[in-house]
């Protein structure tokens, strides 16, 4: 189970590195996370487990609760930092999209006012087909900017700027949901797996000590 967890973490880190290749700062933190994790896994596989198998439970326990515990804390801190950075980046992206939606709304509202001079009917038509959907989109963008990724807005197959903006907003929202879910899942797996591996290693060391004591008593 520990080996499978390690492989799963390796796959998650590789995926995150691929996604962050255009973000130097995030890529640097992910490289640091990868380095710490590899050191953690190397120590576990090359030192702690062989010590346990050799009956050196005290030495294995010192490694498990010493340097390994520090690495596990570092992994957890980096994972939380990356998760917070991803949430902040998502919030900024949504704010930018909200600003674009607001700008588009103001532009089309101005156009609506100009056409209202021509006739009330034209103004009502503009309100129905342009300003209304943009207001809905602006409100949806505002809710997303506040952290509510469950928001939804009406969609249609319009070929004009409103339809393009609506589809772009939905595509961006889906990407944000997927990215946030993947990052939260990755952070959760990294944090829980590090703790589980550390606990498993400590339990194995304790079991080895108990076995050695039992053999000694039997002898």
């Amino acid at each position: 189970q520990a080996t499978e967890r390690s492989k799963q973490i390796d796959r998650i880190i590789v995926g995150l590195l691929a996604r962050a290749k255009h973000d130097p700062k995030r890529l640097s933190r992910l490289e640091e996370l990868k380095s710490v994790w590899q050191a953690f896994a190397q120590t576990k596989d090359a030192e702690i487990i062989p010590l346990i198998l050799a009956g050196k439970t005290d030495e294995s326990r010192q490694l498990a609760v010493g340097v390994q515990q520090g690495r596990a804390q570092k992994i957890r801190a980096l994972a939380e930092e990356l998760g917070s950075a991803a949430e902040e980046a998502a919030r900024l992206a949504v704010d930018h999209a909200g600003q674009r939606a607001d700008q588009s709304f103001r532009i089309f509202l101005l156009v609506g006012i100009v056409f209202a001079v021509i006739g009330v009917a034209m103004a009502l038509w503009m309100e129905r087909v342009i300003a209304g959907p943009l207001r809905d989109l602006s409100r949806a963008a505002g809710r997303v900017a506040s952290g509510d990724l469950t928001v939804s807005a009406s969609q249609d197959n319009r070929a004009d700027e409103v339809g393009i903006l609506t589809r772009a907003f939905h595509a961006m929202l889906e990407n944000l949901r997927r990215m946030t879910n993947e990052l939260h899942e990755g952070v959760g797996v990294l944090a829980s797996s590090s703790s589980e591996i550390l606990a498993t290693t400590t339990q194995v060391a304790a079991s080895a000590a108990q076995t050695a004591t039992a053999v000694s008593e039997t002898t």
Side-chain angles (χ1 to χ4, degrees), residues 71-91:
R71 287 170 179 165
Q73 292 173 350
K74 181 66 174 177
I75 290 171
R76 185 178 292 105
L78 287 170
E80 291 175 353
E81 178 184 343
L82 287 167
S84 298
E87 290 179 356
E88 179 65 16
R91 187 188 65 79

Side-chain angles (χ1 to χ4, degrees), residues 6-211:
S6 297
K7 291 180 180 179
Q8 184 181 10
I9 291 173
D10 290 336
R11 289 193 296 269
I12 289 173
I13 292 177
V14 170
L16 292 175
L17 285 170
R19 287 180 175 274
K21 60 183 179 181
H22 299 302
D23 186 345
K25 182 177 179 180
R26 185 172 152 206
L27 183 62
S28 174
R29 302 304 285 169
L30 283 170
E31 290 287 357
E32 182 180 358
L33 176 62
K34 178 182 177 182
S35 177
V36 176
W37 163 247
Q38 287 178 341
F40 182 95
Q42 175 67 19
T43 300
K44 173 179 66 69
D45 296 334
E47 296 184 41
I48 294 179
I49 293 178
L51 285 173
I52 293 172
L53 295 176
K56 299 179 180 180
T57 56
D58 291 337
E59 296 180 18
S60 65
R61 187 181 297 108
Q62 288 176 358
L63 283 175
V65 302
V67 64
Q68 287 294 79
Q69 186 174 13
R71 287 170 179 165
Q73 292 173 350
K74 181 66 174 177
I75 290 171
R76 185 178 292 105
L78 287 170
E80 291 175 353
E81 178 184 343
L82 287 167
S84 298
E87 290 179 356
E88 179 65 16
R91 187 188 65 79
L92 292 175
V94 171
D95 286 344
H96 180 65
Q99 291 173 0
R100 290 181 58 189
D102 288 339
Q103 290 173 357
S104 298
F105 170 71
R106 286 192 293 269
I107 291 173
F108 281 107
L109 183 60
L110 179 61
V111 173
I113 293 174
V114 172
F115 276 93
V117 177
I118 299 174
V120 175
M122 182 63 71
L124 293 174
W125 181 82
M126 293 289 291
E127 171 68 19
R128 182 174 63 85
V129 301
I130 296 178
L134 282 174
R135 270 201 295 268
D136 293 339
L137 187 60
S138 179
R139 284 194 292 268
R143 289 177 60 187
V144 173
S146 66
D148 182 13
L149 295 181
T150 62
V151 66
S152 61
S154 60
Q155 297 189 70
D156 53 41
N157 295 322
R158 293 170 56 172
D160 59 5
E161 289 79 5
V162 176
I164 294 172
L165 181 61
T166 301
R167 289 190 292 273
F169 175 82
H170 279 281
M172 179 205 68
L173 183 58
E174 288 300 321
N175 287 333
L176 285 174
R177 286 171 178 165
R178 183 172 60 255
M179 182 179 68
T180 301
N181 289 335
E182 290 175 354
L183 286 172
H184 278 296
E185 180 181 353
V187 168
V189 170
L190 286 172
S192 63
S193 296
S194 297
S195 299
E196 289 176 6
I197 291 173
L198 180 60
T200 301
T201 304
T202 303
Q203 290 175 358
V204 171
S207 297
Q210 291 175 359
T211 302

